[in-house]
Amino acid sequence: MLFWKDKQNDKPAEKAAPEAAVTAEVAAPVEAEEAKSPESKKTIKIAVLTSGGDAPGMNAAVRAVVKSAHARQDVNVLVYGVDHGYNGLIEGKFTPMGLRAVSNTLQSGGTKLCTARCKAFETPEGVKQAADNCFNEGINGVVVIGGDGSFRGARDLTNAGIPCVGIPGTIDNDIGCSDYTIGYDTAMNTAMRMIDNLRDTAQSHDRCNIVEVMGRHAGYIALNTAIASGAFAALVPEKEADIDRDIIDRINFVQGTGKKHFIIVVAEGVGNIDEISRQIKEKTGRDTRTTILGHIQRGGSPSVRDRVAATQMGHRAVELLCSGNGGRVVAMKGEKVVDYEINEALQMKKDFPFDLLQVASDVSI
């Protein structure tokens, strides 16, 4: 059970109109003449959940959903938090969230709603159970904050009659339809600070330090933190590396110019950093150590960019559901908030900035 249940919002206000029967479509916005008095407003219920890996800024997105919903003037919107992602939908864990339920959460890392990966939701039976629970609770739409896997779940739930809107929340920045994902900036800054600290000891001992950062299938964190920390090299899964050519030969060359310490940033999807370390030490004579930053990159207070982006996208998600537009994914294109049909969004691909990878190489000597 969530710790932030708001007792003032356990039930709709007595003056609210009876809720319309739940259908596959979100209740359409009321006409202007129907919204002239509070008694004539329709009431809709929106659920919000976080799914998959946690990312700094998820709480900011949930906060935006709650506050944007309560700020609506055309309809009464009741918001329910879902505990532990799709697991909570299957188990029917809905908790009313009033305005004060999200107080002092903007600056918090992780996700107060908690998150999990749910194997049961990958089955037709799991999706049906979750949809039935939404129908029984009178939920008119669900905001899903997570990555591609979470969006596939949102698509299945939409097809089962519960309209969903996805918000990209993942530190890997690997959502094809969105230039930016919640948590990415904070994770990069966390990794950069840790690498700066490692540089102090690498320089003190004339060592080579190999640092593994997150990014099983995407090298965005590795590339950008390598540039920001002045690393000697960045290895990413998007480009197969030749360790002899790309690392060892270059180390041997720049050692002749007087360089004595090296930082190499490797995305986790590249391969075994211990083997890379062994080769470097064997072929260059340089003492080499490895460090895996791991889940420290997921935590911490979100950056300004993550708080603002999360707020923008949470607000758009509520607008979509209140206007009857489910089956969508909110995204960022440059600095603009946009949205796509969910199947279209899942098929979109993102081009990796190989030109930036060349820049990283050129300035690292």
Side-chain angles (χ1 to χ4, degrees), residues 179-202:
D179 290 345
Y180 187 80
T181 62
I182 297 168
Y184 176 47
D185 185 64
T186 306
M188 286 193 297
N189 278 283
T190 297
M192 180 190 70
R193 288 193 298 271
M194 298 300 101
I195 293 169
D196 286 347
N197 291 346
L198 278 169
R199 180 178 293 281
D200 293 341
T201 188

Side-chain angles (χ1 to χ4, degrees), residues 73-300:
Q73 298 297 311
D74 52 347
V75 287
N76 291 319
V77 185
L78 304 179
V79 183
Y80 293 78
V82 181
D83 193 18
H84 285 93
Y86 288 119
N87 283 320
L89 280 186
I90 290 176
E91 296 171 10
K93 293 182 177 179
F94 299 97
T95 300
M97 298 179 71
L99 280 171
R100 302 285 72 84
V102 290
S103 295
N104 298 317
T105 61
L106 180 66
Q107 73 276 18
S108 299
T111 163
K112 300 292 188 182
L113 287 173
C114 296
T115 184
R117 290 180 170 85
C118 181
K119 289 293 184 182
F121 196 76
E122 297 176 9
T123 67
E125 295 78 14
V127 173
K128 183 180 184 302
Q129 181 63 55
D132 287 344
N133 287 337
C134 289
F135 285 130
N136 293 336
E137 191 66 34
I139 299 298
N140 301 97
V142 180
V143 178
V144 176
I145 306 167
D148 275 339
S150 303
F151 293 166
R152 286 190 287 272
R155 176 198 59 196
D156 295 342
L157 192 59
T158 297
N159 291 338
I162 303 298
C164 297
V165 172
I167 295 176
T170 168
I171 67 170
D172 290 339
N173 197 39
D174 59 351
I175 303 298
C177 67
S178 188
D179 290 345
Y180 187 80
T181 62
I182 297 168
Y184 176 47
D185 185 64
T186 306
M188 286 193 297
N189 278 283
T190 297
M192 180 190 70
R193 288 193 298 271
M194 298 300 101
I195 293 169
D196 286 347
N197 291 346
L198 278 169
R199 180 178 293 281
D200 293 341
T201 188
Q203 186 173 12
S204 298
H205 293 272
D206 292 338
R207 283 177 181 152
C208 174
N209 274 77
I210 302 175
V211 185
E212 182 182 283
V213 298
M214 283 190 163
R216 189 171 301 167
H217 304 293
Y220 296 99
I221 294 177
L223 172 57
N224 284 278
T225 55
I227 293 174
S229 61
F232 179 71
L235 302 183
V236 298
E238 290 85 353
K239 182 178 180 181
E240 184 175 357
D242 182 320
I243 301 301
D244 285 324
R245 180 195 64 206
D246 299 332
I247 304 295
I248 293 170
D249 289 350
R250 292 179 65 233
I251 288 178
N252 285 328
F253 170 76
V254 297
Q255 283 185 137
T257 69
K259 188 173 179 65
K260 296 181 178 180
H261 73 278
F262 304 86
I263 300 289
I264 299 169
V265 181
V266 182
E268 63 179 314
V270 167
N272 188 335
I273 61 172
D274 289 329
E275 174 59 23
I276 297 173
S277 173
R278 184 193 65 76
Q279 292 185 48
I280 292 173
K281 185 174 182 178
E282 181 180 288
K283 297 178 181 180
T284 68
R286 184 68 53 183
D287 184 22
T288 306
R289 305 294 176 91
T290 60
T291 302
I292 298 175
L293 296 187
H295 286 81
I296 192 172
Q297 296 160 90
R298 291 195 185 277

Side-chain angles (χ1 to χ4, degrees), residues 344-362:
E344 178 188 1
L346 285 168
Q347 293 171 3
M348 295 173 72
K349 304 296 181 184
K350 182 184 293 186
D351 293 328
F352 189 79
F354 290 103
D355 56 338
L356 193 58
L357 189 62
Q358 184 60 50
V359 170
S361 177
D362 289 346

Side-chain angles (χ1 to χ4, degrees), residues 7-19 42-45 76-78 80 96 137:
K7 294 184 180 297
Q8 292 181 351
N9 287 279
D10 281 351
K11 298 179 181 179
E14 292 181 0
K15 60 184 178 181
E19 297 171 14
K42 288 185 178 180
T43 296
I44 67 173
K45 294 183 177 181
N76 291 319
V77 185
L78 304 179
Y80 293 78
E137 191 66 34

